[in-house]
Amino acid sequence: MKVYFVGAGPGAPDLITLRGAKLLGQVRMVMYAGSLVPTDMLQHCDPAAELIDTAGLNLEQQQACYLRAHEAGMDVVRLHSGDPAIYGATAEQMRRLDALGIAYEVVPGVSSFTAAAAAVQAELTKPEVSQTVILTRVSGRASAVPETEAIALLAEHRATMCIFLSGPHLKKIVGDLRLHYPDDTPVTLVYRASWPEQRTYTGTLATVLAETKRGAWNLTTMMLVGAALDRGQQAESSLYSKDFTHLFRVVKKKRATRTQTSRAAKPEAADNDAVPAGKTSRVSNKETVS
């Protein structure tokens, strides 16, 4: 018996990985958070599988489900939104499975921050602009953010930031970001990336609060911010430059021809003494006669 922590992806049923979908179709018990994973995702499950919505269950009740499956010899998929490694609350479940001697495996998924970038066709890293992506959130009742990771401190780097669960805290977040980012820094909000009800907003730190209605962007909103989101002309990577050589593409440099080489080897007349008597020498477009 094994528990599989499977990343469901951002929401769209076809954005789960092939391995994740295959496991859903094989196991006899699926545990999922109905508040975060759309029911459309369950179409990948075996029709005979037991489906358990964990949104209303505490950790001990979920542990009881694992024990029941273990006693019955049933594999379990624990379906998590996005990728289980990011804000998945999987570590405490794994500790309990370790104590119970129950094996488990993690199957990665597409995170909502990459789905949000895809929704607005944005690249989060650009040469000479930002090569760093910071994933963070504000403190909530369930999980506090360490003081050393406050958004106001992270903003000092001016890197691309992806702020999870940002909707209810926009005013505070924007205030903290403006301590270090210029007011014209691009901002994007994506509500439920890849879901049918997906919504997006694009603006700047100076405009986002005035142009969005308070309460319209709730907990499942991703905020992207940083100069890399600017669609204007920026430096390009050398990776695909026709003059750039790397392991898989060698650019052959042109060799000088024999004629070019021989011409380069002949010294030019240093002064008028090298010109025969009665001949004309051109120097800086002026004629002198010797």
Side-chain angles (χ1 to χ4, degrees), residues 24-227:
L24 283 175
Q26 292 176 340
V27 302
R28 293 162 54 194
M29 179 184 288
V30 176
M31 300 168 63
Y32 69 100
S35 57
L36 298 172
V37 177
T39 54
D40 285 348
M41 188 64 64
L42 302 179
Q43 66 185 257
H44 299 293
C45 299
D46 185 323
E50 180 182 0
L51 307 180
I52 302 173
D53 185 351
T54 61
L57 303 183
N58 60 39
L59 196 54
E60 284 68 30
Q61 291 171 320
Q62 294 178 49
Q63 179 176 309
C65 293
Y66 292 136
L67 278 172
R68 180 162 59 85
H70 181 63
E71 291 169 357
M74 297 189 303
D75 287 341
V76 177
V77 163
R78 180 62 168 97
L79 196 58
H80 282 269
S81 61
D83 185 284
I86 304 175
Y87 306 125
T90 56
E92 51 262 46
Q93 296 179 65
M94 293 175 183
R95 284 194 295 269
R96 283 163 172 76
L97 292 176
D98 285 335
L100 295 170
I102 297 176
Y104 55 87
E105 182 179 321
V106 179
V107 178
V110 176
S111 176
S112 59
F113 84 92
T114 55
V120 293
Q121 300 174 331
E123 183 176 2
L124 302 179
T125 56
K126 289 183 179 177
E128 301 178 22
V129 178
S130 179
Q131 293 291 287
T132 300
V133 177
I134 298 174
L135 309 181
T136 190
R137 60 185 290 270
V138 297
S139 286
R141 291 189 304 130
S143 302
V145 173
E147 292 182 3
T148 54
E149 297 177 6
I151 289 177
L153 296 178
L154 297 177
E156 293 180 5
H157 301 285
R158 291 197 185 182
T160 303
M161 291 184 68
C162 304
I163 306 173
F164 289 68
L165 308 175
S166 56
H169 312 285
L170 281 180
K171 185 175 181 180
K172 174 71 165 60
I173 292 171
V174 170
D176 288 343
L177 292 173
R178 291 178 75 177
L179 294 174
H180 301 286
Y181 289 87
D183 281 351
D184 62 354
T185 301
V187 169
T188 292
L189 302 178
V190 182
Y191 169 72
R192 288 199 164 180
S194 83
W195 290 52
E197 56 266 42
Q198 172 186 292
R199 287 185 287 115
T200 64
Y201 164 82
T202 300
T204 67
L205 282 176
T207 65
V208 60
L209 294 180
E211 294 179 350
T212 57
K213 185 178 180 181
R214 185 175 182 179
W217 302 85
N218 71 3
L219 200 60
T220 51
T221 296
M222 173 69 66
M223 182 179 191
L224 309 177
V225 60

Side-chain angles (χ1 to χ4, degrees), residues 6-8 14-22 107-110:
V6 175
D14 58 350
L15 285 180
I16 190 172
T17 64
L18 292 174
R19 183 181 298 182
K22 182 179 180 181
V107 178
V110 176

